C-alpha cells in the first residue's frame, strides 16, 4: 500500500483536490487497490476557494513525512488567501522533503508557485497558470524557474507542474502511474468511463 499526502493550503480549489481523491479512490476499488490518500493542512479546518469547508485527515504537525510515498498539491486563489499557507515555511519544508527524497510531486496550476518558492525548481523547467495578462508565469520565472510557455503539463524529474484546472485529471493519472503502472492506470480510466 502506498500513501500519498494531499497537501492543502487554506483557499485551495476543491476541484483540484477532488481529482486526487477520485483517481486514487477509484484505484482502491477498480484498480490494484494499493493507494491510500491522506489530506493534511496547517489548520484543523480549511476553507476552499469558493467557501466550502474541508477538515483535513490530520494536521501537518501530526505527521511523519517519511511514511508517505508521494505528494499532491492543488492550487487555489489569492483572493481566498491561498498563498498565506502555500508560502508558509512549514508548507515549503514538506515540498523540499519530497523533492530531496526523489518522491513524486504532483502539483496543479498555481501550486507550482509553492513548489518553486521552496527552491526545488530553481534552474529547472515548469509551468503554472496561463492566461493572457495574468502574472503567475512571471512570478514563476522570478523564482528562477525556466518557464515552459505553451505547455499544459511539464515534468521535471519527479515533479509535475501544470497550467490550469483543465489539467487536473491528467496530473492525477500521472501520479497514479508513478505509484502503480500504466496498465493499472488504463484499467482505472476504463472503469471511470474514459
Amino acid at each position: 500500500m502506498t500513501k500519498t499526502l494531499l497537501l492543502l493550503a487554506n483557499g485551495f480549489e476543491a476541484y483540484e483536490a477532488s481529482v486526487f481523491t477520485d483517481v486514487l479512490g477509484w484505484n482502491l476499488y477498480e484498480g490494484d487497490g494499493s493507494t491510500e490518500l491522506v489530506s493534511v493542512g496547517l489548520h484543523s479546518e480549511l476553507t476552499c476557494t469558493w467557501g466550502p469547508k474541508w477538515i483535513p485527515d490530520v494536521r501537518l504537525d501530526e505527521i511523519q513525512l517519511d511514511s508517505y510515498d508521494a505528494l499532491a498539491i492543488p492550487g487555489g486563489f489569492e483572493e481566498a488567501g491561498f498563498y498565506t499557507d502555500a508560502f508558509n515555511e512549514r508548507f515549503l519544508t514538506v515540498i523540499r522533503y519530497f523533492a530531496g527524497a526523489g518522491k513524486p510531486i504532483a502539483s496543479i496550476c498555481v501550486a507550482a508557485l509553492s513548489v518553486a518558492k521552496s527552491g526545488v525548481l530553481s534552474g529547472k523547467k515548469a509551468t503554472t497558470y496561463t492566461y493572457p495578462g495574468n502574472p503567475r508565469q512571471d512570478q514563476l520565472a522570478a523564482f528562477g524557474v525556466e518557464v515552459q510557455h505553451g505547455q499544459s503539463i511539464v515534468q521535471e524529474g519527479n515533479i509535475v507542474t501544470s497550467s490550469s484546472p483543465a489539467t487536473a485529471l491528467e496530473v492525477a493519472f500521472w501520479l497514479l502511474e508513478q505509484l502503480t503502472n500504466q496498465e493499472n492506470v488504463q484499467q482505472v480510466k476504463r472503469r471511470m468511463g474514459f
Side-chain angles (χ1 to χ4, degrees), residues 73-154:
I73 318 170
F77 271 62
E78 183 172 15
E79 295 84 351
F82 177 76
Y83 298 105
T84 301
D85 284 1
F87 285 177
N88 181 287
E89 188 58 32
R90 290 179 295 161
F91 201 94
L92 302 177
T93 296
V94 174
I95 296 168
R96 291 184 196 113
Y97 166 77
F98 281 89
K103 297 178 179 182
I105 298 174
S107 68
I108 299 172
C109 200
V110 296
L113 295 173
S114 298
V115 180
K117 185 169 176 64
S118 77
V120 303
L121 285 176
S122 183
K124 297 180 179 175
K125 297 176 182 175
T127 190
T128 190
Y129 184 57
T130 305
Y131 193 80
N134 185 279
R136 301 304 177 210
Q137 291 211 338
D138 291 340
Q139 289 173 311
L140 190 63
F143 287 124
V145 174
E146 188 181 320
V147 178
Q148 301 300 290
H149 300 283
Q151 291 190 36
S152 59
I153 293 181
V154 175

Side-chain angles (χ1 to χ4, degrees), residues 7-192:
L7 184 59
L8 302 173
N10 212 28
F12 74 93
E13 275 204 74
Y15 166 69
E16 293 180 13
S18 74
V19 295
F20 295 114
T21 62
D22 266 33
V23 168
L24 298 182
W26 272 81
N27 184 63
L28 285 176
Y29 296 131
E30 305 297 343
D32 70 6
S34 68
T35 50
E36 179 184 351
L37 183 72
V38 178
S39 63
V40 64
L42 297 177
H43 318 282
S44 55
E45 181 179 89
L46 302 169
T47 302
C48 302
T49 292
W50 314 120
K53 304 297 183 193
W54 181 299
I55 297 173
D57 297 318
V58 291
R59 285 178 44 141
L60 186 55
D61 55 10
E62 299 171 338
I63 65 168
Q64 295 293 321
L65 291 177
D66 60 3
S67 65
Y68 293 88
D69 303 291
L71 180 64
I73 318 170
F77 271 62
E78 183 172 15
E79 295 84 351
F82 177 76
Y83 298 105
T84 301
D85 284 1
F87 285 177
N88 181 287
E89 188 58 32
R90 290 179 295 161
F91 201 94
L92 302 177
T93 296
V94 174
I95 296 168
R96 291 184 196 113
Y97 166 77
F98 281 89
K103 297 178 179 182
I105 298 174
S107 68
I108 299 172
C109 200
V110 296
L113 295 173
S114 298
V115 180
K117 185 169 176 64
S118 77
V120 303
L121 285 176
S122 183
K124 297 180 179 175
K125 297 176 182 175
T127 190
T128 190
Y129 184 57
T130 305
Y131 193 80
N134 185 279
R136 301 304 177 210
Q137 291 211 338
D138 291 340
Q139 289 173 311
L140 190 63
F143 287 124
V145 174
E146 188 181 320
V147 178
Q148 301 300 290
H149 300 283
Q151 291 190 36
S152 59
I153 293 181
V154 175
Q155 180 176 349
E156 177 72 50
N158 60 311
I159 302 171
V160 158
T161 54
S162 76
S163 62
S164 71
T167 65
L169 272 167
E170 190 175 345
V171 171
F173 284 125
W174 173 84
L175 181 59
L176 180 59
E177 184 175 354
Q178 304 312 299
L179 296 170
T180 63
N181 57 61
Q182 181 58 37
E183 182 181 349
N184 184 64
V185 171
Q186 291 308 315
Q187 165 71 5
V188 172
K189 280 185 169 183
R190 282 192 297 271
R191 296 303 295 261
M192 290 179 75

